[in-house]
Every structure is written in structure tokens, then in C-alpha cells.
């Protein structure tokens, strides 16, 4: 078997159908004008031109999933009493995420530390993650909002990817990064890619410098604690936030969830679903006390989590992959890269005036 | 550490006794249905568990019976909302789910040889009870034990049998208080932080452990500071709305610490370091 492969453009769908034979394939597909990561099947229209609106996290962390089902049964010996049976399934099918972006792939590594590198690993995440291959498409040009290089990534960054794909006019150069990724070369639609390798590596380097770096050239952002702890700062920079939570749902590195029960008659399920720290109810306690009652506190926690708390816990790693989704899709154009850039303290002296450039629409 | 491989899957357990503590608090003694698990179940004083009523949900409660008395696990539940209301409907023989033990525990090793001052309010006596009973079962390891406990009215005092016993012991001094005068009440009245000032315990070689409603804790901490207790000798427990209980769901953090995993027990020195707002 060759080390690398190439798929002709017109054979791409056939190739994905082939992969679908023994794996669930997730790919960015067109839905109206929107690009959505979802399970690929015949009838879906692929769109690899721009990053999907939603990240591929749903492949290993579905928006809603069953943790276990339960069943109440009348006790045979004492019919007034009920016994309960529980059943959990952590056996998942193989999956391939095709056409993730390098930031998306890196996002999974941010999950891994929390969900797997702990003494209580999450069997649902782990079960899916271990069976999922991530085939990543290198970016040839950044989209509005992207800032992957500013957080240690880049348009051809390999972290988290099992396969790296480079786009050519004629088709796709396919390069396994991990052992898991090598199996992708078995499909009959794959030609030897050797002749494309050199040009592909050149292209991968080219787009790196096109990505904006809002934190300037001084490496990863270092946050000024005094500014970070200033409530007035947060009140200014997020005054227009609507607490809609879109930024958390579209973020490839946001991983919070809720757990709820559903029951009908004597059977039911315990379900976990995405949740987000931007919602006021997220931390509301039974007593009525809420440790993060205002959107300023919640936003501070979100930025803090990604740029201070997570790095504190995991060796400086930033829990934001710079995908720019929260910037592109925020209904009121709150820009996390701008906020973090102010938090470095060097560019922004806190005055009582809102900083002028905040809210510049990066969608255009 | 739980042996349970799936940390979300509760162990099934049976309620063996329900005790009416106060008008809105009941204690539940439960045993795990798997006798082997019950025999080898291990936890430390201060650790918590998630109780499940399947179909309704889970809530967090401290295991308030000490590991030195392992015939059953006791949880005390104050009725405040959905899950706790349904728990209040449970009877002897009913099935529930238990995910335990979770979280950290009181640093009882470091407290050896010291004087111990417990300051509790309402249901806040639950975690303190675990440690009090544990210390009484290892009495020689600890110095003077003082317990200051208060509630709104006398019927709101939890663990009345324990209180009676502690009151009668010569090696424990128990100070009870209720918010205002109450027919038949001949002990102290006044809020816990105020009574703390009145009894003015010496900080010398003493660890203060406090648990209760947030507002009580806030003033107790202030008053302990006035009494010259050092931050590292003040221990408290924090609450949060918890779901996973294992540091994953992201709900209960203060900075990079998770109350469910790095807590619920913290020293005031730690809380200041984490910039917790209390
Ligand atoms: C470490 C720890 C130890 C604890 N130990 C004990 C203990 O030993 N004993 C004890 O009694 N308690 C203890 N608690 C507190 C206990 O966990 C809560 O009281 C319990 O979880 C409340 O559950 P619930 O389902 O009954 O309340 P919920 O129904 O969840 O909430 C109660 C109230 O909160 C408000 N609320 C909640 N969610 C919403 C929402 N989405 N929208 C609007 N309002 C909402 C409502 O006013 C509601 O009535 C402990 C908590 C922690 C974290
Ligand atoms: S998407 Fe924008 S408005 Fe919505 S919660 Fe996030 S920052 Fe606030
Ligand atoms: S915080 Fe925004 S830019 Fe960073 S990973 Fe999440 S969605 Fe992408
Ligand atoms: S309860 Fe989930 S992180 Fe603490």
C-alpha cells in the first residue's frame, strides 16, 4: 500500500459511500445556504468550501444521548414493591469525520483531557472517540473570524487528526497521520498520491501566514489578572451579549452538559444533553442562590475557562482552537479574540468608555 | 475512587429506614443491593453521593453517617425542589440509585491533636455530623470538641438524638441556639455568627469547621477572622448545582477547581487563593 493517496474530485462521493459501508460518516453538507456537519448519505450535498457552521463534536458528543435506560418492575415476592433494572450501552459503531478543519480536530484533544485523561473516564465519549477516525481538510484560506495560529494551531496543524487532506483542482491528496488513519487508503477510489506530496506540503505552509493573529506576535496570550478580575471590564465588553448560548453550542471545545430523566409508564432513560455556561440557569442552585447570576459573570467564566482555568490545569493549553465560529455566528457580534486581546492588558487601558473597535462585524 | 466502571451508572440501593428530622428534612438510611459492594464500600468523612430517583433525576447529598459505622449509608434531605420532593415520598423498601463516594473529604489526619470547633446551621450539620461521629469514634486522637449549632426554631434542629447524646457527654461541649425566643426553649437565642462572638473561642491550636446557609457561612468567616483564626485553620464546604459529580460536566467550577472533585471541602486559605466569592 502506498503511504499517501489521491481521490479524483468526481470520485469523492463514491469514496464517501464506500467509507459509509462499515462506518458512520460525518461530513459537512449543504442545507440551504448553511454548511452543517451531519451523517453523510446519498442525497446529501457535500460542501468543503468553507468551515461548517457547527463543529463536528456531535460525532463523539451527540447533542443528546442516553446514558442508560431503566425499567421499574413489580417485585415478585411483594407486589407492593418495585425493583429497578438499569441498562447502559457503551458500544458504538465505527465513525469517520470527513472534512473536519484542523481547528476542529484540535478541539477533540481539548475534550480528551477532560473526558478521558481522568480517573473517572467518560465511557460514552471514550467509546465513540476510540472508534472515530478524523480526516481533516487543510484550510487553503482563512474564513472571517479565524484565529487558529494565535492559539497554537494553524490551517494545516496535525494535532487531533488521523488523516490530513489537501485540496487540489483535480481532487484530494490524502495523507495518514496516525495508524488509525492508514485504513482510509484501502478504498478502491484511492490512487497513489506520491506525485502530489511535495506540492501538497508547499500548499499547507502557504496559508499559515494568511490567518490573522489578534494577540500579536508574542506567542500565546498572557492575560492580565487585574483586568480579568475587574467586573467593569466585563460589563463593558459583553454589554450587548444576549445570553443566547449560540457561542457555546457552535464551539468545538465547549463540552458542558446537563443530565435529565425521561420516563413514560414503567420505563425511561437518563439522558445527557449539551448545556452552556452562558445560560442563567446553568449554575442556579436549589436554594435559589446563583454563583453566576449576571451575563458578565458568565462571560467571564467562559473566557476564563478557555484562556486561564483550562491552561492552569493542563500545562498552558488553551481551550479555544481559534475556529472563529463564536465570532461569525454571534447574533450581536461579540468577538472573543478581541476580548482576549484586550485582556493581555497592553493594548487596552480600562476607562469607562467602551473600546471603539469592539463589535466590529467580522462577518462581512 | 469508585470501582464502578461507568461513573454515570448508579448502584441500586434500598431504603431501610426513614427518619423525620424536621418539618422539611428527612434522613434516609440505605444499603446497596449488592452485598459484596456494600461490604467493600469505602469512603471518607465529608464525601458526598448522588441519589437518584429514576424518572426524576439526581441530587447531591453528603454521606452523613461516618465510615466507622458502616451498617448503612445515611443521607439527610431537605425538601427544596423537584428531586428532593420525590425523595421525601420514599418509604422503607423503596429502590434508589447511589453514585458514591464523590469529592474530597475533611483533612481529619491533619486535625489530630488539635481542638475542634464545629459551627453549623440547619441542614449544614449533615456534613459536620459525619466528622463529629468519626472523631467521637476516634476520640483519643482529638482535643476539646466544641459544637455550636443553630436553626431557626427548635423543631428545625436536625439529629435530635445525637444532640441529646452530645449534650450528655463530658468530652463534648454543645452550644445550641435558635434565631428567636420560642415557647419551651431555655437555651440560647440569636444567630450562629453572633453566638460565636459571644462564646469567643480561642484560636489557639484550634480548627474551625463551618457549614450552613451561605449567609451564615459568610458572617461566621468574618467573625472567625475577628477572633484571629488563621485562614488555613478554617474549613468549610461549598455547594453548587451539580450534575456529573466527577469534574466533567463543567457546572460547578470556581476558577480551575471543581466543587464536585476538588471539593466540597476547602480551607478558607484555598478559597482565597481560588478567588472564590463567598
Ligand atoms: C456537595 C453538596 C452537598 C450537599 N449536601 C446536602 C445534604 O446533605 N442535604 C441536603 O438536603 N442538601 C444537600 N445539598 C443540596 C442539594 O443537592 C440540593 O438541595 C438539591 O440538589 C436540590 O435538588 P432538587 O431537585 O430538589 O431541586 P431543584 O428542583 O433542582 O431546584 C430547586 C429550586 O431551584 C430553582 N431552580 C432549579 N432549577 C431551575 C431552573 N432551571 N429554572 C428555574 N428555577 C430553577 C427552583 O426554585 C427550584 O424549586 C448538597 C449540595 C452539594 C453540592
Ligand atoms: S453567541 Fe453572542 S449573544 Fe449569544 S451568548 Fe454567545 S456572546 Fe452572547
Ligand atoms: S471559543 Fe470561539 S473561536 Fe474559540 S474554539 Fe470556541 S467557537 Fe471557536
Ligand atoms: S458537577 Fe459536573 S463538573 Fe462538577
Amino acid at each position: 500500500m502506498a503511504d499517501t493517496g489521491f481521490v479524483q474530485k468526481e470520485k469523492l462521493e463514491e469514496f464517501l459511500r464506500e467509507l459509509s459501508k462499515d462506518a458512520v460518516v460525518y461530513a459537512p453538507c449543504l442545507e440551504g445556504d448553511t454548511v452543517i456537519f451531519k451523517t453523510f448519505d446519498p442525497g446529501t450535498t457535500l460542501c468543503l468550501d468553507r468551515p461548517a457552521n457547527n463543529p463536528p463534536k456531535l460525532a463523539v458528543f451527540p447533542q443528546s444521548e442516553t446514558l442508560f435506560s431503566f425499567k421499574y418492575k413489580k417485585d415478585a415476592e411483594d407486589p407492593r414493591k418495585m425493583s429497578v433494572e438499569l441498562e447502559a450501552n457503551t458500544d458504538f459503531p465505527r465513525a469517520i469525520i470527513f472534512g473536519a478543519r484542523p481547528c476542529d480536530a484540535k478541539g477533540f484533544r481539548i475534550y480528551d483531557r477532560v473526558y478521558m485523561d481522568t480517573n473517572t473516564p467518560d465511557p460514552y465519549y471514550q467509546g465513540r472517540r476510540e472508534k472515530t477516525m478524523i480526516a481533516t481538510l487543510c484550510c487553503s484560506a482563512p474564513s472571517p473570524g479565524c484565529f487558529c495560529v494565535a492559539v497554537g494551531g494553524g490551517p494545516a496543524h496535525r494535532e487531533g487528526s488521523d488523516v490530513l487532506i489537501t485540496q487540489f483542482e483535480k481532487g484530494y491528496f490524502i495523507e495518514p497521520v496516525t495508524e488509525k488513519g492508514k485504513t482510509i487508503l484501502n478504498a478502491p477510489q484511492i490512487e497513489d498520491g506520491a506525485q502530489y506530496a511535495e506540492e501538497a506540503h508547499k500548499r499547507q505552509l502557504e496559508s499559515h501566514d494568511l490567518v490573522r493573529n489578534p494577540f500579536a506576535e508574542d506567542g500565546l496570550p498572557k492575560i492580565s489578572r487585574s483586568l480579568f478580575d475587574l467586573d467593569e471590564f466585563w460589563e463593558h465588553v459583553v454589554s450587548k451579549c444576549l445570553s443566547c448560548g449560540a457561542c457555546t453550542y457552535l464551539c468545538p471545545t465547549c463540552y458542558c452538559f446537563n443530565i435529565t430523566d425521561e420516563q413514560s409508564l414503567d420505563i425511561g432513560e437518563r439522558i445527557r444533553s449539551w448545556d452552556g455556561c452562558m445560560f442563567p440557569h446553568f449554575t442556579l442552585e436549589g436554594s435559589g442562590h446563583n454563583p453566576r447570576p449576571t451575563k458578565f459573570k458568565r462571560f467571564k467564566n467562559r473566557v476564563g475557562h478557555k484562556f486561564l482555568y483550562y491552561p492552569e490545569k493542563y500545562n498552558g493549553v488553551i481551550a479555544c482552537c481559534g475556529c472563529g465560529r463564536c465570532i461569525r455566528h454571534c447574533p450581536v457580534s461579540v468577538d472573543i479574540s478581541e476580548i482576549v486581546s484586550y485582556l493581555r492588558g497592553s493594548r487596552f487601558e480600562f476607562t469607562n468608555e467602551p473600546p471603539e473597535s469592539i463589535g466590529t462585524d467580522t462577518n462581512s | 475512587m469508585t470501582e464502578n466502571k461507568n461513573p454515570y451508572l448508579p448502584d441500586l440501593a434500598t431504603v431501610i429506614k426513614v427518619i423525620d428530622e424536621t418539618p422539611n428534612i428527612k434522613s434516609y438510611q440505605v444499603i446497596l443491593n449488592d452485598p459484596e459492594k456494600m461490604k467493600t464500600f469505602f469512603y471518607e468523612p465529608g464525601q458526598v453521593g448522588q441519589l437518584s430517583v429514576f424518572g426524576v433525576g439526581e441530587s447531591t447529598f453528603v454521606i452523613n453517617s461516618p465510615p466507622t459505622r458502616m451498617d448503612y449509608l445515611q443521607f439527610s434531605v431537605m425538601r427544596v425542589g423537584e428531586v428532593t420532593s420525590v425523595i421525601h415520598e420514599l418509604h422503607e423498601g423503596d429502590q434508589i440509585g447511589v453514585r458514591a463516594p464523590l469529592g474530597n473529604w475533611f483533612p481529619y489526619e491533619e486535625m489530630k491533636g488539635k481542638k475542634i470547633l464545629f459551627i453549623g446551621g440547619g441542614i449544614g450539620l449533615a456534613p459536620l455530623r459525619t466528622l463529629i461521629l468519626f472523631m467521637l469514634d476516634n476520640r483519643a486522637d482529638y482535643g476539646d470538641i466544641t459544637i455550636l449549632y443553630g436553626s431557626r426554631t427548635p423543631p428545625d434542629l436536625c439529629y435530635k438524638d445525637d444532640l441529646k447524646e452530645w449534650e450528655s457527654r463530658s468530652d463534648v461541649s454543645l452550644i445550641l441556639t435558635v434565631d428567636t425566643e420560642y415557647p419551651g426553649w431555655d437555651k440560647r437565642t440569636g444567630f450562629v455568627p453572633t453566638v460565636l462572638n459571644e462564646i469567643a473561642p480561642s484560636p489557639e491550636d484550634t480548627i474551625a469547621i463551618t457549614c450552613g446557609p451561605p449567609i451564615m457561612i459568610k458572617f461566621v468567616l468574618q467573625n472567625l477572622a475577628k477572633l484571629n483564626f488563621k485562614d488555613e485553620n478554617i474549613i468549610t464546604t461549598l455547594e453548587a448545582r451539580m450534575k456529573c459529580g466527577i469534574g466533567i460536566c463543567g457546572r460547578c467550577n470556581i476558577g480551575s477547581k471543581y466543587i464536585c472533585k476538588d471539593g466540597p471541602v476547602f480551607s478558607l486559605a484555598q478559597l482565597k487563593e481560588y478567588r472564590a466569592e463567598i
Side-chain angles (χ1 to χ4, degrees):
Chain A
M1 194 169 59
D3 294 339
T4 57
F6 192 84
V7 184
Q8 300 289 340
K9 206 167 196 163
E10 53 285 0
K11 284 200 176 160
L12 184 66
E13 300 225 353
E14 190 187 320
F15 171 59
L16 291 187
R17 278 203 294 279
E18 179 73 27
L19 296 180
S20 304
K21 282 182 182 163
D22 62 350
V24 183
V25 174
Y26 295 85
C29 303
L30 260 192
E31 271 192 11
D33 289 337
T34 310
V35 186
I36 298 289
F37 250 104
K38 58 181 200 172
T39 44
F40 169 83
D41 53 55
T44 45
T45 315
L46 281 175
C47 179
L48 297 173
D49 305 343
R50 49 195 154 106
N53 284 37
N54 63 333
K57 67 180 176 185
L58 77 171
V60 284
F61 180 52
Q63 182 153 4
S64 173
E65 75 179 315
T66 301
L67 295 177
F68 58 83
S69 51
F70 54 86
K71 189 174 184 175
Y72 281 101
K73 279 176 134 182
K74 281 218 166 79
D75 195 307
E77 279 153 36
D78 182 353
R80 283 168 313 170
K81 295 205 164 138
M82 294 284 221
S83 65
V84 191
E85 276 172 16
L86 307 181
E87 201 183 307
N89 176 20
T90 49
D91 188 20
F92 302 102
R94 254 167 45 79
I96 298 173
I97 298 172
F98 187 88
R101 297 297 174 126
C103 51
D104 294 335
K106 196 169 167 242
F108 288 110
R109 292 288 306 126
I110 287 159
Y111 269 78
D112 290 349
R113 294 182 188 90
V114 182
Y115 276 71
M116 304 203 300
D117 304 346
T118 142
N119 54 12
T120 46
D122 186 295
Y124 306 90
Y125 178 86
Q126 189 163 29
R128 286 196 165 89
R129 179 76 166 99
E130 281 168 0
K131 287 195 164 170
T132 301
M133 180 205 289
I134 302 171
T136 303
L137 181 68
C138 297
C139 296
S140 46
S143 292
C146 291
F147 61 101
C148 54
V149 297
V151 285
H157 196 75
R158 292 170 177 235
E159 189 186 352
S161 297
D162 296 301
V163 172
L164 219 55
I165 304 165
T166 313
Q167 196 160 7
F168 282 77
E169 294 67 37
K170 276 172 62 191
Y172 302 89
F173 172 70
I174 298 200
E175 183 184 5
V177 179
T178 64
E179 279 304 308
K180 198 196 262 175
K182 282 187 179 159
T183 56
I184 204 167
L185 298 178
N186 294 335
Q189 293 78 10
I190 295 262
E191 306 166 8
D192 188 349
Q195 57 168 312
Y196 297 93
E198 199 178 322
E199 170 65 14
H201 291 145
K202 214 176 110 210
R203 290 184 181 207
Q204 288 174 11
L205 291 177
E206 275 167 2
S207 39
H208 189 274
D209 293 340
L210 303 175
V211 183
R212 76 194 173 95
N213 187 344
F215 314 143
E217 292 73 42
D218 54 358
L220 298 178
K222 290 218 169 36
I223 286 178
S224 133
R225 254 339 276 232
S226 54
L227 204 47
F228 182 80
D229 284 333
L230 196 66
D231 281 357
E232 293 90 330
F233 170 80
W234 293 104
E235 289 187 17
H236 271 295
V237 292
V238 299
S239 57
K240 57 189 172 173
C241 166
L242 308 169
S243 294
C244 73
C247 49
T248 60
Y249 276 46
L250 297 178
C251 175
T253 64
C254 272
Y255 57 75
C256 294
F257 60 82
N258 195 5
I259 301 178
T260 47
D261 283 13
E262 280 181 12
Q263 185 181 355
S264 115
L265 298 174
D266 54 351
I267 57 167
E269 291 181 336
R270 179 156 297 167
I271 291 167
R272 79 143 146 230
S273 349
W274 293 354
D275 204 345
C277 61
M278 301 304 280
F279 300 125
H281 290 159
F282 190 63
T283 49
L284 182 64
E285 289 166 25
S287 64
H289 172 70
N290 193 344
R292 296 201 280 273
T294 60
K295 65 180 172 182
F296 312 121
K297 294 213 161 151
R298 296 192 285 276
F299 206 98
K300 175 180 173 181
N301 179 67
R302 177 166 146 85
V303 175
H305 186 178
K306 291 181 182 303
F307 289 88
L308 267 180
Y309 312 152
Y310 189 101
E312 206 170 296
K313 220 165 162 156
Y314 300 108
N315 232 342
V317 179
I318 291 174
C320 160
C321 60
C323 73
R325 283 190 181 87
C326 61
I327 303 170
R328 286 193 292 278
H329 304 300
C330 171
V332 290
S333 303
V334 173
D335 183 338
I336 194 171
S337 71
E338 205 159 21
I339 290 169
V340 172
S341 142
Y342 290 128
L343 277 173
R344 294 181 312 129
S346 52
R347 264 181 65 203
F348 176 61
E349 282 287 308
F350 182 75
T351 62
N352 244 9
E353 295 301 315
E356 236 169 68
S357 55
I358 282 200
T360 320
D361 193 350
T362 37
N363 267 320
S364 53
Chain B
M1 261 309 311
T2 43
E3 290 298 312
N4 206 336
K5 264 190 143 163
N6 183 336
Y8 299 103
L9 203 59
D11 289 315
L12 292 172
T14 305
V15 175
I16 58 159
K17 193 170 175 189
V18 183
I19 303 163
D20 281 317
E21 300 282 0
T22 77
N24 67 348
I25 300 171
K26 290 186 186 189
S27 290
Y28 295 82
Q29 296 178 353
V30 308
I31 47 173
L32 303 181
N33 289 1
D34 180 344
E36 205 43 47
K37 264 190 184 158
M38 187 64 204
K39 232 189 327 185
T40 53
F41 188 84
F42 180 78
Y43 65 104
E44 300 275 11
Q47 286 195 288
V48 300
Q50 291 272 27
L51 291 190
S52 278
V53 183
F54 301 103
V56 185
E58 280 187 315
S59 275
T60 319
F61 307 95
V62 67
I63 310 173
N64 69 61
S65 50
T68 40
R69 305 180 188 183
M70 262 301 290
D71 304 333
Y72 51 80
L73 304 173
Q74 179 169 302
F75 301 90
S76 300
V77 177
M78 181 158 97
R79 183 167 54 203
V80 294
E82 219 182 323
V83 177
T84 48
S85 296
V86 181
I87 293 179
H88 269 234
E89 307 284 301
L90 295 177
H91 296 103
E92 226 174 83
D94 283 344
Q95 301 295 294
I96 57 165
V98 178
R99 285 201 289 138
L102 303 171
N104 74 349
W105 50 88
F106 292 110
Y108 57 86
E109 287 292 340
E110 291 152 39
M111 297 180 191
K112 282 187 176 161
K114 305 251 161 90
K115 289 183 259 176
I116 314 289
L117 168 65
F118 290 98
I119 307 161
I123 184 74
L125 189 57
L128 302 185
R129 176 186 197 254
T130 326
L131 189 59
I132 295 170
L133 296 183
F134 178 86
M135 287 184 168
L136 293 181
D137 290 344
N138 297 282
R139 188 66 191 86
D141 289 344
Y142 301 93
D144 294 350
I145 294 181
T146 306
I147 304 165
L148 165 59
Y149 177 48
S151 68
R152 271 187 311 119
T153 70
D156 292 311
L157 292 167
C158 277
Y159 313 118
K160 297 192 175 67
D161 290 345
D162 292 322
L163 298 181
K164 231 179 267 162
E165 198 213 309
W166 300 341
E167 196 160 34
S168 69
R169 284 179 78 129
S170 57
D171 58 353
V172 174
S173 61
L174 176 72
I175 300 144
L176 294 178
T177 180
V178 298
D179 289 358
T180 49
E181 298 291 337
Y182 194 89
W185 181 254
D186 55 3
K187 302 191 174 71
R188 280 175 186 270
T189 55
F191 297 124
V192 170
T194 317
V195 176
L196 174 65
N197 275 355
E198 286 163 17
I199 60 172
S202 151
E204 196 61 39
D205 224 18
T206 305
I207 310 278
I209 307 155
T210 182
C211 188
I215 186 78
M216 182 206 95
I217 294 192
K218 194 175 164 179
F219 289 116
V220 165
L221 295 180
Q222 285 176 9
N223 292 356
L224 285 172
K226 279 186 218 145
L227 292 165
N228 292 323
F229 276 79
K230 288 203 202 87
D231 290 350
E232 52 275 23
N233 290 340
I234 301 174
I235 312 274
T236 186
T237 69
L238 290 190
E239 275 196 21
R241 193 170 181 81
M242 279 170 43
K243 283 290 170 180
C244 72
I246 51 174
I248 298 184
C249 79
R251 193 171 299 264
C252 69
N253 71 306
I254 32 169
S256 64
K257 303 291 173 198
Y258 285 90
I259 293 177
C260 66
K261 217 173 160 165
D262 306 303
V265 178
F266 298 97
S267 72
L268 184 57
Q270 284 172 318
L271 292 181
K272 285 192 175 164
E273 183 195 326
Y274 308 154
R275 298 163 195 250
E277 290 175 24
I278 25 171

